[in-house]
């Protein structure tokens, strides 16, 4: 089984997207072309890259499926660091176990309700491991992949960050069963429908 959390090239594109889209009073008209460009780049990666989960079946690739861009799901989140070095073991789609470092909590509001997401780093001991979160919500197994979705985050020692669910994506195991992907921890099962980001693959 191959373990894959983030797309190496797409992660760079996302980081650039986040940098250029962090503006106050942003309008949907300004935001939509940016996210559509990112989705186009990701489709190109999936269709042509040797690292794509579709590399053995490129001729059948029909493009990823998304919710329309929605700024209601781009929220400001407070970061609550986890100061004690604490680890979490997650089950994966292959039945294996994977160990992660608990990095912090992102605390945010949607529809007037407060929610928390546990942010994680892979427990490799490397300082440059990416921060990400795996979450499920009321769309999981219906409109979105039943094993949850991921969201990559780029920050360092921040008190607040933009949490943009329009950038949430499916793990590779949603397309190819040879990959092993961690499931969201129980505290990241949100009792709300996050109708933003990637939907289930068309098939």
């Amino acid at each position: 089984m191959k373990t894959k959390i983030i797309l190496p090239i797409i992660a760079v594109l996302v980081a650039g997207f986040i940098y250029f889209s962090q503006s106050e009073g942003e309008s949907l008209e300004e935001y939509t072309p940016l996210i559509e460009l990112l989705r186009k780049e990701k489709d190109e990666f999936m269709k042509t890259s040797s690292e794509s989960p579709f590399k053995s079946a490129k001729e059948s690739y029909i493009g990823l499926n998304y919710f329309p861009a929605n700024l209601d799901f781009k929220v400001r989140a407070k970061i609550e660091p986890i100061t004690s070095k604490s680890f979490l073991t997650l089950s994966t789609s292959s039945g294996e176990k994977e160990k992660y470092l608990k990095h912090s909590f992102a605390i945010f509001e949607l529809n007037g309700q407060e929610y928390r997401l546990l942010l994680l780093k892979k427990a490799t001991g490397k300082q440059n491991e990416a921060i990400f979160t795996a979450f499920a919500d009321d769309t999981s197994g219906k409109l979105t992949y039943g094993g949850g979705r991921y969201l990559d985050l780029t920050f360092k020692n921040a008190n607040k960050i933009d949490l943009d669910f329009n950038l949430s994506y499916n793990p590779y195991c949603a397309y190819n069963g040879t990959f092993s992907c961690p499931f969201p921890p129980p505290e990241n099962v949100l009792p709300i429908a996050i109708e933003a980001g990637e939907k289930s693959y068309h098939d």
Side-chain angles (χ1 to χ4, degrees):
M1 285 288 178
K2 294 171 279 187
T3 300
K4 201 76 166 183
I5 295 176
I6 57 174
L7 310 179
I9 296 174
I10 299 303
V12 175
L13 294 171
V14 168
F17 173 87
I18 292 171
Y19 177 81
F20 286 110
S21 68
Q22 287 179 340
S23 57
E24 295 294 330
E26 184 178 24
S27 71
L28 188 60
E29 289 73 22
E30 295 168 320
Y31 178 82
T32 299
L34 290 173
I35 202 162
E36 286 182 349
L37 177 61
L38 181 69
R39 291 172 176 180
K40 181 179 178 182
E41 294 284 351
K42 185 170 180 178
D43 261 335
E44 186 65 19
F45 174 90
M46 289 294 201
K47 186 166 59 176
T48 63
S49 175
S50 61
E51 296 184 17
S52 168
F54 296 97
K55 65 182 178 181
S56 61
K58 290 178 181 177
E59 67 282 352
S60 65
Y61 177 69
I62 56 176
L64 303 183
N65 194 19
Y66 296 97
F67 290 101
N70 187 341
L71 284 174
D72 289 342
F73 289 99
K74 182 180 179 183
V75 297
R76 199 69 174 157
K78 182 177 74 172
I79 296 299
E80 183 181 280
I82 298 174
T83 53
S84 59
K85 196 169 184 179
S86 179
F87 293 91
L88 175 71
T89 300
L90 295 180
S91 298
T92 70
S93 56
S94 65
E96 301 169 357
K97 302 288 184 181
E98 288 188 7
K99 191 176 181 182
Y100 292 87
L101 174 67
K102 295 182 179 181
H103 179 273
S104 54
F105 285 98
I107 304 167
F108 60 98
E109 285 192 5
L110 278 173
N111 298 332
Q113 295 292 317
E114 184 176 278
Y115 301 97
R116 297 164 64 90
L117 279 177
L118 176 61
L119 309 185
L120 303 167
K121 278 188 171 186
K122 200 159 187 187
T124 61
K126 297 178 182 178
Q127 292 296 318
N128 61 348
E129 281 290 0
I131 302 168
F132 86 108
T133 188
F135 71 93
D137 64 278
D138 282 352
T139 70
S140 299
K142 303 167 189 172
L143 298 174
T144 63
Y145 176 57
R149 292 179 287 168
Y150 298 168
L151 190 57
D152 298 327
L153 301 160
T154 304
F155 68 93
K156 186 177 181 180
N157 301 324
N159 295 319
K160 291 185 177 181
I161 63 167
D162 281 334
L163 197 61
D164 191 351
F165 287 101
N166 293 282
L167 302 177
S168 58
Y169 64 92
N170 292 336
Y172 276 4
C173 55
Y175 324 113
N176 185 331
T178 66
F179 289 89
S180 178
C181 310
F183 295 129
E187 53 264 69
N188 281 4
V189 179
L190 302 174
I192 186 174
I194 304 293
E195 295 182 342
E198 192 175 346
K199 292 183 177 182
S200 297
Y201 186 59
H202 295 276
D203 288 341

